[in-house]
Structure formats: structure tokens, C-alpha cells
Amino acid sequence: MTTGIAPDAAAHAPKDTEPPTGRTGSTDEQAAFGPLLRSLRLAASLTIEGLAEASGVSVRGIGDLERGRRAAPQRRTVAAIADGLGLGPADRDRLLAVARAGRTPVYSPAGIRAFPRGIDDFVGREAELDRLSLLADRAVARGAEADGGTAGTAVVVAVSGPPGTGKTTLALHGARRLAERFPDGQLLVDLRGTDDDPPDAAELTLGVLKALGVPDRDLAKAGAQDRPALYRRALAERRCLLVLDNARDEAQVRPLLPGAGATMVLVTSRRMLTGLDDVRRLPLGELSPEEAAAFLTALVGSDRAAADPVAVDDVTRRCGHLPLALRVAGNWLATRTGWTVRRLADRLAREERRLDALTAGDVRVTTAFDLSYRQLTPTAARLFRRLALVPGPDVRAPCAARLTGQELFDAEDTLEELVEAGLLGTDGDRYRPHDLLRLYARTRLTEEERAEDVEAARAAMYRWLLETAVVAGRWYEPGHGAPPASWQGTVDLSSAALAREWLQAEGANWLAALRAAAQAGEHATVVEVAESLHWFSDQWIFWGHWPEVFATAARSARALDDPLLEATQLNYHAWAVLLCEGRPRDSLPLSARALAAAERAEDPAQQAWAHQYQGWAYRLLGESEAALVHNRRAAELFGAAGDLLGSLQSMHTHALVLEGQNRTEEALVSYRRTLDHLTEVEDRVEPHAAAMTRLGLHSGLGCCYARLGRWQEAVDHLRTAVGICRSGGNTALESRQLTLLGDALLSAGRPAEARAAFDRCAGLGPDADPRRVALARERLARVDADPGTAAPPSPRP
């Protein structure tokens, strides 16, 4: 066991004739305070109880001071005793001087100067250090309460985090900062929690007592049975900072935690030590990008880093902003002066070799990971390995359960074991390994499991993801809605909102599963998934992957030699390019191919949709005559096919074309006629589709009234459009309607209301239309600069 601030500063048991180590002052000086206090008390004709009442210091505290069982008290306690004794200036100064001498350390191998190397280049963690400082102040204040007779509980801080996050370094750097608050000593105890046979509590307690300078005779008198009480009393009498480094678990730590007093304890562990009570928790993750860059720069030199700041960012990102990985990378460059930072960045770019590259001498990032991995149960180790198969950055328990075949609750317990071990992070109900830990899990998976077992686990997860995506997407599909009663799922899809939330949260995962299905030739599955998500795509317009989804499905439909399926998916692809990516010109070849496939299939409905999307594209391109031609043809075909929703869409498009031609009064009539028709047939239209159509019509009416300067009517319709978006959770379309509403309010001379609309748009988050968010921020700046200025009209979708 190592006790003391560094491995080479372990304190040996002192002889009775030697000065105690880790304590304040010499034996003679401490002894001098007790007799002096007793003589002054007797001279004042006071009992210990009488002095306690007069000074506010406890009876026990005064008795321990007189018998030399406590270190000399702090100045405020001495001052209180002097006041209680009614001392004159000379005796008062004498008592304070003796107390001060007793607090002057003469020898302390556990002192701060013995800290190990490796903390001088510490960077960042200012918030954590500030929190430690506040907690240290609290520990000191509790010590003062104890001096005054009120028992204060020692402050214990549990510093936890994944391997390589710099827990020990933070604790030691914090101890250096806080040293002056704890003049009786700073001790580092290496608990060796990752060893196969870590020291037990009795061995650790004895080592701390020796480092604190407790005489051998007291240790012998207490014996093994009473040493825990002696340990707590020794710490209660001192102002110490105790660093318990690398704790294995709660059972190892509990006996080492003091009760009352001014001691502060920092416990570092890879585990979260959830079972410890009455502790302050300080979880550590990776550094921020700025902190990581500063750390690497400190290691390689500012000139070298400044020569290629992009390479510095690449190295820090590929190290996952993990302090241990950054230190290894920095040390590698520091010893290879001929290397540029870019050369190392390129070396780290290869994921399959990245962990091997993060080695400097005998220091390997994987060694830190190994220590945590080998402490896992076999079940947790298997799940940890297989989490490397998850294509996205994080996962929920139902998906993870498919990797191991566990029941849901068992999988949750296993995931929590990985969290407790510091190998997984959490965000709500999602679990995420650090990027380098994911790579490490992949190597363990390759080395420890058969390839056929790995592929079976991946296939089970992908199959579940796609099956669940179909059920969730059909909430928005006409003729489907809620999951069938026969569906037995492990995720809650009991509402459209929950289905949307699952599809968005698992987007990266089910998209990878869709790609894998296409590559494996599972074309019917690919088309089924894309078809089930078509109407949902309106809810998540700016995700960024809908063109890929529908293009993949169109290729699968072609492979199935089904022209109707191909026409349908090509139309969806045209829609995605047209609306999601705002590229109307590029959408035209896709809708033309859709039309040709629909004609081969002799399907009027898909022919109509192809014309609908062509008319939409030409309208956005300002070619209104071509738009009207395609729209009229779409209306004819929708009527022939009996497609009620399609007919409503063509009527809506006709109003949009009129509006685009500045035929505002005619457009108003067309919008009202379409809205009236929707009201008549709404019970025959799928609710989601009806809501989307109503949204577009109210938006069009609002814009037409705004063109005519009829502001209240414009605002009313645009507020209705915003409300429809909000009730349906459609952030993308809400952002568009909010800018239209804000401009109408601004032009109506209502800047406060306009500002509220723009402010909401600016804060909608990543699912909003980025162009509308930028426009909202520009409008906010305009309003703040000159509230009376009317805004130019927002661009129409």
C-alpha cells in the first residue's frame, strides 16, 4: 500500500521518540498548549464546564486540548477561549502564540510538495475546480462548527468517470489548490482498486494512521478492533485533505470515510460508487474541444500547434477529447520533433489502427480500458463488446437487448452495470460509449467472439429496428394508425408523438439497418420501410436523409421489377429533393422518371403525383405557365383515380400559382374554395393528411391578406397555421410559419408580438428549417435596432 502524497513518499510508522508525521508541529509544542491552557483556567478559578459555558467551546474539546489529545485549535477557537478566560493582552498574546506555533508544520512527508509528476500541465476543468473550492470552504466551516461544540460532518467528494478522463489528476491538482485550507496535512492513499487483490480496509486504515503520526503505543493499545474509532477520531481532530485514489467499490471506501471534523475527502473511482451516502458527486467526462486543443498545445508547443490548427483539432477529435489519449498523442509528438501534427492526425484517421497508434512508450490507452473491462461480469462484457455493432452514437435498452437476446429488464440492468463501471455514459434513457471505448469494444468483439455469432447479433438488431420503424411510421400512414393489437413490441408506440420520438431518436440506427437490407438484397423489406415512413417524413423534413431513403427504395423497387412501386418511390424521391433539399430543378428528372414508370404500370394516381411534383417544381422556378399545365393534368388524373387527397393538393397548388402570379384576389377565392371543400370531405381524409392540407391553406390565406394589407386577417390565419404545426409537433413547418407571422406582425406595427414569434423560431432547434432560423435571427436584430421598421415579406415555401 502507498500512503502519502506519492508512491515514493510512503510514511513509515514513527517511533515514540520521533516527531509525528503528517501532523502540525512537534510533540513539545503541542504539549505546551495543553498545560498553558489548564494553568490559565485554574488561575481564573474556572472548571472545564465553566470555561465551556463562557467560551462556547465544547467541554470535550477543552478537555482534549488540555490533555494533548487534539492538535492546537484554530485562531477563532483560541480567541473564544481567551475571551471566556477574561485574559489580559499579555496572556492572550501568549496563548495565541503557543497555538500558532503548534499549527506550524515542521515535517510532513505527506505534504503537498511530494505530489507526483504529471499535474503541472493541467488544463481546463475550471467548473470542477471551483466546485471543489466551494466544498473545501464548507469543510473548513464545519471544522469551525466542531471547534465551537457543534459536530460537523466531514465533506466527501466522489470523483468518477470513464478510464482516461483524468480523475486522479484532477484530485491532485485540486489538492494542490486547496492545500492552505488544510494545514494538518494532505494524504494520498492509493486504493489499487483495479488490482486483482486490492488492500483491505484494515491495512489502509493502519497506513493512514501511521502517516498521520499516531504513536505506535496508541496503535497497539487500540488493536485491530478499535482502530476504526481511532482513525475517525484522528481525522476529526485535524484539518486534513485525504485523497482516496482508484477505489474499487463502496465496501472498500466506507471504512475510510471520517465522521465529524474539518477533513475533506476526495475519492476517485472508475465506478460511480452509487451506494455511498452523504457524498458530493463530481462526474468527469471528456474535455471540451477548446480545453483539449489547449492541452495538446501545451504538450507539443505553441509554435508547432499554430502551424496547423486544423490538424490540432483533428487530433483532439480523434482522441475523443479524452485526457489520457491527448497526453499520449502529445508525448508522441514531443518525442518526434520531425513529425508534423498533421502526420499524427492522418495516422489517427484510420479507425482500425487508432488505438494502436495511441501508445507512447509503456503508456497505452487500451491498458486503461483493459483494467475496467476485466472487472465486468461475463454478461456485461458481452453486451459491452456487442454495443460496437450499434451504428449510431447511442442506443436505448430495447435495441441493446436484441444484441444479446436478453429480456428488456435484464438488458437494462446490464447497461446500468456498464454505466456504474464507467464504460457507458447516459443521456436520459439513452446509453453512449465514448468513441475510443467503442473502438476498444470492437477489438474485443473481433478477438473474443466467433464471426457467425457477431453477424447473428447484428442481424437480430437490424431486423428489430426495421420492424419497429414500420410500425412507428404507420401512425402517419393513411389506413393504418396505431399498432395492431397483435403487435408485441418492447417500445411504447401508443401515440403518434411517441412514434415520432422513437423514429427520430433511432434515426441513425434504423437508417443503417435499411442500408444493410438493401445491400443484402432484401428489396421487399426496403420498400416496405420507405413506404411506411412516407407520411412521417413530413414531420422531420430537414433530417437530411430522406433523398437517400427514397432513392434506395426506388432502386429496390426496380430490382423487384415492379413499375408501380418504382413510380411511387421515385415520386417520394422527387418530393424529398424538391422540399427537403430545396432543389426544384434537380427534382424534375426524378418526377419525369416516376411518370414514365407510372405509365408503364398504367396507374393514374402515381401519374397524377408525378405531374403534381413537376407543377410544384416549375412554380418554385417561376415558370407559372408550365406549373399550371402540369397541375391541370394532375387534377384530371386525381379525379380519374378517385384520389381525394390528391385532388385537394392540386386545388391548393392552383391557388399557390395564382398567388405567385400576383393575382391575389383570385388566389384568395381559390384558397377559400379549397378550404371549404376540405371541410366537406375531411371525414374521408386521413387526419394527418387533412391537418397538413389545412395548414397550407391557412398559410396561403394569411399571406394573401398580408399582400392586401389586411393585417388582422393575415395574423389570424397565420396564427392558426402555427398552431396546427405546434399541435402536430412539426418543428420544420412551424419555423416557416413563424417567420411569416412575425413579418405580418412587424408590418402591422406590433413589434413586441413580432419579436416573440421570431424568438420562438430562433430557438426551435436542429429540426427547424435552417434558412428560416437564420431569417428569424436577422429579423430580431432588425427589431432590436429599430422596432418601428416594417419587415420585407418572408419568402414563401
Side-chain angles (χ1 to χ4, degrees):
M1 184 195 74
T2 299
T3 303
I5 211 64
D8 60 350
H12 301 286
K15 303 297 184 183
D16 288 351
T17 57
E18 295 175 343
T21 60
R23 294 194 53 170
T24 60
S26 69
T27 306
D28 290 343
E29 287 166 331
Q30 289 176 351
F33 183 84
L36 176 59
L37 173 57
R38 184 170 185 275
S39 66
L40 292 171
R41 177 176 62 79
L42 293 176
S45 300
L46 285 172
T47 63
I48 291 178
E49 290 78 6
L51 178 56
E53 184 177 352
S55 66
V57 180
S58 68
V59 170
R60 179 179 175 181
I62 294 172
D64 285 348
L65 285 170
E66 289 191 1
R67 287 187 287 271
R69 293 179 178 175
R70 287 190 55 189
Q74 297 299 302
R75 181 181 178 86
R76 72 182 72 180
T77 303
V78 180
I81 291 173
D83 291 341
L85 290 169
L87 296 181
D91 285 338
R92 183 185 188 90
D93 290 345
R94 181 184 174 201
L95 188 66
L96 287 168
V98 173
R100 185 166 55 250
R103 290 194 298 270
T104 302
V106 292
Y107 176 66
S108 176
I112 202 73
R113 291 182 299 278
F115 266 16
R117 295 173 58 83
I119 62 170
D120 291 335
D121 52 12
F122 187 88
V123 171
R125 306 290 196 200
E126 289 302 324
E128 290 84 354
L129 290 169
D130 288 345
R131 178 161 170 75
L132 287 179
S133 182
L134 289 173
L135 292 171
D137 290 340
R138 188 171 301 173
V140 172
R142 289 184 175 182
E145 292 173 0
D147 285 342
T150 303
T153 306
V155 172
V156 180
V157 184
V159 182
S160 62
T165 49
K167 299 176 289 295
T168 299
T169 304
L170 173 72
L172 295 181
H173 192 77
R176 173 175 285 180
R177 280 197 179 188
L178 305 175
E180 292 183 358
R181 293 175 172 87
F182 302 97
D184 293 345
Q186 304 85 37
L187 306 179
L188 171 67
V189 183
D190 185 357
L191 304 188
R192 304 197 333 249
T194 54
D195 287 5
D196 293 334
D197 186 22
D200 61 21
E203 180 183 354
L204 294 167
T205 300
L206 179 60
V208 173
L209 286 169
K210 289 182 177 182
L212 290 173
V214 176
D216 284 349
R217 62 173 178 269
D218 290 350
L219 294 174
K221 181 179 179 181
Q225 182 175 357
D226 291 334
R227 276 182 194 152
L230 179 62
Y231 174 86
R232 290 191 294 273
R233 186 166 65 250
L235 288 177
E237 294 172 351
R238 293 164 171 81
R239 298 183 188 277
C240 289
L241 181 60
L242 185 61
V243 179
L244 304 178
D245 187 41
N246 192 15
R248 183 181 187 90
D249 53 28
E250 295 90 338
Q252 188 190 34
V253 171
R254 281 194 190 97
L256 300 173
L257 300 182
T263 289
M264 180 176 182
V265 183
L266 303 182
V267 185
T268 73
S269 178
R270 297 172 181 223
R271 306 185 68 83
M272 296 177 69
L273 304 178
T274 308
L276 291 182
D277 296 327
D278 196 21
V279 301
R280 306 297 189 274
R281 301 193 178 276
L282 196 64
L284 291 189
E286 62 265 25
L287 297 172
S288 70
E290 296 76 18
E291 289 173 337
F295 186 30
L296 186 63
T297 298
L299 294 171
V300 306
S302 56
D303 291 343
R304 206 167 170 194
D308 194 345
V310 175
V312 170
D313 289 341
D314 287 344
V315 170
T316 60
R317 180 168 43 81
R318 289 163 187 165
C319 288
H321 304 135
L322 192 71
L324 176 60
L326 291 166
R327 183 174 290 283
V328 170
N331 289 348
W332 178 279
L333 286 171
T335 57
R336 290 161 177 79
T337 56
W339 279 48
T340 63
V341 181
R342 170 51 57 195
R343 184 174 176 183
L344 178 60
D346 292 343
R347 182 182 175 92
L348 295 174
R350 299 174 58 186
E351 282 193 350
E352 68 278 8
R353 298 295 304 277
R354 187 173 299 166
L355 290 176
D356 291 335
L358 288 172
T359 302
D362 63 349
V363 180
R364 299 173 59 90
V365 170
T366 52
T367 301
F369 297 165
D370 285 335
L371 292 172
S372 293
Y373 176 71
R374 73 188 188 192
Q375 293 185 0
L376 296 174
T377 62
T379 300
R382 182 174 66 146
L383 180 55
F384 172 72
R385 294 190 299 268
R386 293 187 176 186
L387 286 175
L389 299 174
V390 176
D394 53 21
V395 70
R396 282 180 176 150
C399 185
R402 292 306 182 279
L403 291 169
T404 56
Q406 292 176 282
E407 294 295 327
L408 177 59
F409 293 131
D410 293 335
E412 287 177 342
D413 290 343
T414 307
L415 288 165
E416 288 301 323
E417 179 183 341
L418 293 173
V419 172
E420 182 69 26
L423 294 175
L424 275 186
T426 59
D427 183 9
D429 61 352
R430 302 195 68 79
Y431 298 86
R432 177 174 187 163
H434 185 274
D435 291 346
L436 293 181
L437 279 168
R438 185 191 299 275
L439 294 180
Y440 174 77
R442 188 183 301 170
T443 63
R444 298 266 57 81
L445 185 68
T446 302
E447 294 179 9
E448 298 182 30
E449 298 202 34
R450 298 185 306 167
E452 53 266 36
D453 293 337
V454 171
E455 287 310 310
R458 191 197 314 268
M461 176 181 63
Y462 280 176
R463 184 168 55 252
W464 178 83
L465 282 165
L466 294 181
E467 290 172 354
T468 309
V470 168
V471 175
R474 281 180 174 162
W475 258 110
Y476 298 88
E477 193 73 11
H480 288 278
S486 60
W487 185 70
Q488 299 294 321
T490 53
V491 294
D492 185 358
L493 300 179
S494 58
S495 69
L498 288 170
R500 179 179 65 245
E501 194 276 333
W502 184 90
L503 286 166
Q504 291 178 327
E506 298 288 351
N509 293 329
W510 65 252
L511 177 62
L514 185 73
R515 291 168 178 160
Q519 188 174 4
E522 300 171 8
H523 300 303
T525 297
V526 171
V527 172
E528 181 186 22
V529 172
E531 181 63 37
S532 70
L533 295 172
H534 164 55
W535 280 97
F536 166 73
S537 61
D538 282 331
Q539 299 291 310
W540 201 17
I541 293 172
F542 299 105
W543 176 40
H545 295 286
W546 293 120
E548 178 190 355
V549 169
F550 298 127
T552 301
R555 288 192 295 271
S556 286
R558 187 162 58 252
L560 293 170
D561 195 24
D562 188 323
L564 178 56
L565 289 180
E566 183 180 2
T568 302
Q569 299 304 319
L570 282 169
N571 271 327
Y572 296 163
H573 189 192
W575 168 86
V577 171
L578 178 65
L579 180 62
C580 301
E581 297 194 342
R583 297 189 287 124
R585 183 72 66 188
D586 294 336
S587 75
L588 287 170
L590 297 171
S591 52
R593 287 169 53 197
L595 179 59
E599 288 172 343
R600 291 198 306 275
E602 300 181 352
D603 184 84
Q606 289 304 317
Q607 293 175 43
W609 282 110
H611 282 293
Q612 175 72 15
Y613 292 132
Q614 286 183 313
W616 189 352
Y618 281 122
R619 177 181 65 82
L620 293 177
L621 291 169
E623 301 179 33
S624 58
E625 292 304 319
L628 285 172
V629 168
H630 282 286
N631 191 57
R632 280 194 292 269
R633 183 58 180 149
E636 294 169 359
L637 289 165
F638 280 134
D643 190 328
L644 184 57
L645 178 61
S647 296
L648 284 166
Q649 292 297 309
S650 64
M651 293 175 68
H652 183 194
T653 299
H654 181 71
L656 283 166
V657 173
L658 293 174
E659 182 187 350
Q661 292 177 328
N662 292 322
R663 297 158 64 181
T664 307
E665 293 288 357
E666 294 175 72
L668 274 174
V669 172
S670 184
Y671 279 126
R672 291 195 197 99
R673 183 167 57 244
T674 307
L675 188 58
D676 290 342
H677 184 54
L678 173 62
T679 302
E680 292 172 5
V681 302
E682 191 164 6
D683 59 339
R684 288 183 283 155
V685 179
E686 195 275 332
H688 166 68
M692 293 294 291
T693 304
R694 187 175 295 278
L695 158 65
L697 295 172
H698 279 290
S699 178
L701 285 165
C703 290
C704 284
Y705 282 123
R707 284 174 178 268
L708 297 173
R710 295 164 62 175
W711 301 117
Q712 188 55 53
E713 290 161 295
V715 166
D716 289 344
H717 282 287
L718 292 171
R719 284 198 191 280
T720 299
V722 169
I724 294 171
C725 295
R726 195 168 299 173
S727 63
N730 195 320
T731 302
L733 294 184
E734 183 181 355
S735 64
R736 295 184 168 194
Q737 301 309 314
L738 281 168
T739 55
L740 295 172
L741 173 61
D743 280 350
L745 288 165
L746 200 57
S747 297
R750 296 155 67 176
E753 295 173 77
R755 196 186 195 293
F758 293 134
D759 190 58
R760 176 170 175 80
C761 179
L764 282 177
D767 292 336
D769 184 338
R771 294 163 295 186
R772 295 302 173 126
V773 170
L775 181 64
R777 289 172 178 160
E778 184 274 327
R779 294 290 199 264
L780 283 170
R782 178 191 295 267
V783 172
D784 290 340
D786 186 359
T789 301
S794 294
R796 289 282 280 132

